[in-house]
Amino acid sequence: MTTLADLAELVRAPAALSVPGDVVAGAAAAGALSPRTPALAGASVLLYWAGMAANDWADRRLDAVERPERPIPSGRVTPTAALGLAAGLTAAGVGLAAAVGGRRAAALAVPLAASIWGYDLLAKNTAAGPAVMAACRGLDVLLGASDGRLTRALPSAATVAAHTWTVTALSRREVSGADAALPMRTLAGTAVVAASAAVAVPGRTAERGAAGAGRAWSSGIAAAVPAVLAGWYAARYGAAQAQVVRDPSAGKVRAAVGAGITGLPALQGALTARGGAGLLGLAVAAAAPLGRRLARKVSPT
């Protein structure tokens, strides 16, 4: 009989801690932080879990060989149940986004959902896979910005998308291991991502809701927060990738992928702070150590 623990493993529940920060970072960049932001973040989590369930459904035959302990090949979750859960979560995520954010949010949630399913069913094992997954995360950031000026959130969306490309490229070698060239490329990408997130936008303050907290900070401290959080992100994720350069075995690759997933909130926190909400950025980044602890119970990869 399927249990909640089985479903949590199917959707890689702890990894969802890396999702709300996309929406928050986008909202901060677009000047759109508001009471709607948490609900849009909830919609994003639902879509993320849908993608995880659809991923395991699509990979059920491969997992039977490479990861027989996963919920579907082990018999703890049926393929029909996984597919139904993925479809239901998708509908719930798109519906919540539309209900909260109206047409502008729906106009981003629908292509986001389509990109998630497109990755799982078509692009994952092709050369386009990392780019499609990067697009998913970029759209997720823009979903948070849907109630504000989207163009102002494009740099943050591009930064999160670039990070996602590095994680996805590594994840394709979780079973087979990699050559040293791949982690060297992703490590260089991580350095660029961290540098882009570290620089505060002059005069930028978030314009609604929690933004008042950001204005209470002195300009010097506020400018330092993005750099500190971006450095934290780069140090942890970069160190894991450096281990892969030295030892490109499957285990080290999986560890680096896990570090990329659980370390993403630190990057999102930097982007949120760069958007003018320093205290909120610190709160977003706090999900990183929590995600690492939960990942010891349920693997995020």
Side-chain angles (χ1 to χ4, degrees), residues 191-217:
V192 173
V193 166
S196 68
V199 180
V201 179
R204 174 69 61 84
T205 58
E207 295 168 358
R208 301 187 204 170
R215 287 193 287 268
W217 289 50

Side-chain angles (χ1 to χ4, degrees), residues 1-297:
M1 183 175 179
T2 300
T3 66
L4 285 177
D6 296 328
L7 295 178
E9 184 178 351
L10 177 72
V11 301
R12 297 166 176 82
L17 286 172
S18 73
V19 177
D22 287 343
V23 170
V24 174
L33 285 168
S34 76
R36 296 179 179 182
T37 303
L40 288 174
S44 176
V45 169
L46 293 173
L47 290 172
Y48 183 87
W49 281 340
M52 293 295 101
N55 176 78
D56 270 29
W57 179 83
D59 280 357
R60 62 194 184 280
R61 295 183 179 87
L62 180 63
D63 284 347
V65 176
E66 295 183 347
R67 301 181 182 188
E69 74 282 359
R70 291 293 299 161
I72 295 177
S74 67
R76 289 176 288 134
V77 177
T78 68
T80 300
L83 183 61
L85 179 63
L89 288 169
T90 300
V94 172
L96 178 58
V100 171
R103 291 182 179 179
R104 294 190 70 185
L108 289 159
V110 170
L112 172 56
S115 298
I116 290 169
W117 281 85
Y119 174 82
D120 287 335
L121 301 182
L122 299 172
K124 178 168 49 182
N125 296 318
T126 72
V132 175
M133 182 56 72
C136 291
R137 281 288 189 169
L139 286 168
D140 202 31
V141 174
L142 294 179
L143 177 63
S146 59
D147 199 30
R149 295 174 59 185
L150 281 175
T151 55
R152 282 173 49 172
L154 288 175
S156 292
T159 298
V160 173
H163 162 81
T164 304
W165 183 91
T166 68
V167 177
T168 307
L170 285 169
S171 72
R172 292 155 71 91
R173 297 292 181 266
E174 284 185 294
V175 175
S176 62
D179 57 70
L182 174 61
M184 288 179 68
R185 290 195 298 271
T186 62
L187 187 55
T190 297
V192 173
V193 166
S196 68
V199 180
V201 179
R204 174 69 61 84
T205 58
E207 295 168 358
R208 301 187 204 170
R215 287 193 287 268
W217 289 50
S218 71
S219 59
I221 295 176
V225 174
V228 170
L229 294 179
W232 180 23
Y233 152 79
R236 174 160 179 78
Y237 184 33
Q241 291 172 88
Q243 289 286 336
V244 182
V245 173
R246 291 190 289 269
D247 175 12
S249 64
K252 294 296 184 182
V253 172
R254 284 195 295 273
V257 172
I261 294 171
T262 60
L264 178 54
L267 175 63
Q268 296 161 335
L271 294 171
T272 301
R274 191 179 71 175
L279 290 176
L280 184 57
L282 290 173
V284 169
L290 177 59
R292 286 197 295 272
R293 285 196 292 272
L294 291 176
R296 299 188 186 108
K297 300 178 183 287

